Amino acid sequence: SVGSVSAKGFKSDSLATLEETEFTGEEKLFLFLKNSAVVEGTNEVYSGVSLSVVDSIDKEEVVEKLVAASSLKNALFDYDKAILKPEDRAVLDEFVGSTSDLSAVKIVVAGHADERGSNEYNLALGERRALAVKNYLVLQGVPSGNIRTLSYGEERPACNQSSESCWRQNRRTETQVSQ
């Protein structure tokens, strides 16, 4: 290990460490965050992300990986529904199962809707979708007070076209995690 910084409460003992892998001799930079992420090329879950180290580290790659590791996959919803699908519950289950201290996590769930319907209706629908995620996480052991919900309704679309494939992307929740 080239160097490391301690971080209490993480599954790993390091916040950042540069290590040489046993099998390839390739150096990897491990940046440990306050939630779990799968380290590329392994089946192990760490509280961080792994970046290959060449001559220098691309800042955009670091930012992209950090953002990906601090958010969960978007949950997608059927038209005019706020019911979590089995695949989205599985993502939330994996997050809960890989988090060492659920009482320490802070979660923000933002609900979204497609452009169909009134602004008021879509704000309420986005809130119901965010609450569906929150309620599921609470059932899995995350303290209710650690989860904040908000709704953007149709105001922050992921896609701007008026088509079913685009509307499907906009019927979502986005979940950000921190400790």
Side-chain angles (χ1 to χ4, degrees):
S1 177
V2 174
S4 64
V5 179
S6 293
K8 183 180 176 189
F10 289 180
K11 286 186 177 180
S12 171
D13 293 328
S14 298
L15 180 59
T17 184
L18 182 62
E19 298 178 3
E20 191 173 294
T21 59
E22 291 180 44
F23 300 108
T24 64
E26 176 187 28
E27 287 185 329
K28 291 261 185 190
L29 175 65
F30 293 91
L31 299 175
F32 293 94
L33 303 175
K34 298 175 184 176
N35 68 315
S36 297
V38 176
V39 174
E40 293 176 12
T42 73
N43 292 326
E44 298 178 20
V45 177
Y46 291 87
S47 294
V49 293
S50 169
L51 301 170
S52 295
V53 177
V54 192
D55 293 328
S56 64
I57 299 172
D58 180 25
K59 181 180 175 184
E60 288 182 22
E61 180 186 3
V62 171
V63 170
E64 183 179 303
K65 290 193 181 247
L66 290 174
V67 168
S70 66
S71 61
L72 300 178
K73 180 179 171 270
N74 291 346
L76 300 178
F77 294 84
D78 291 331
Y79 176 70
D80 203 29
K81 302 285 185 213
I83 300 169
L84 280 170
K85 296 178 181 179
E87 59 268 23
D88 297 316
R89 289 192 304 268
V91 169
L92 296 173
D93 289 342
E94 183 178 335
F95 161 72
V96 168
S98 65
T99 303
S100 61
D101 184 5
L102 291 175
S103 66
V105 298
K106 302 292 182 200
I107 300 172
V108 177
V109 183
H112 299 267
D114 63 35
E115 65 191 41
R116 299 173 290 178
S118 71
N119 217 14
E120 295 79 21
Y121 183 83
N122 286 335
L123 282 170
L125 181 58
E127 182 65 20
R128 288 195 310 274
R129 289 173 175 163
L131 286 171
V133 172
K134 176 181 180 172
N135 292 338
Y136 188 80
L137 288 170
V138 168
L139 287 173
Q140 303 310 309
V142 179
S144 178
N146 291 16
I147 307 170
R148 191 180 82 162
T149 62
L150 54 103
S151 176
Y152 291 112
E154 63 188 73
E155 299 303 315
R156 293 189 179 184
C159 181
N160 290 314
Q161 300 170 359
S162 292
S163 66
E164 182 54 43
S165 65
C166 189
W167 292 329
R168 188 177 308 115
Q169 294 174 52
N170 292 335
R171 298 188 304 257
R172 71 191 190 284
T173 56
E174 296 175 334
T175 305
Q176 297 293 317
V177 179
S178 64
Q179 279 184 346

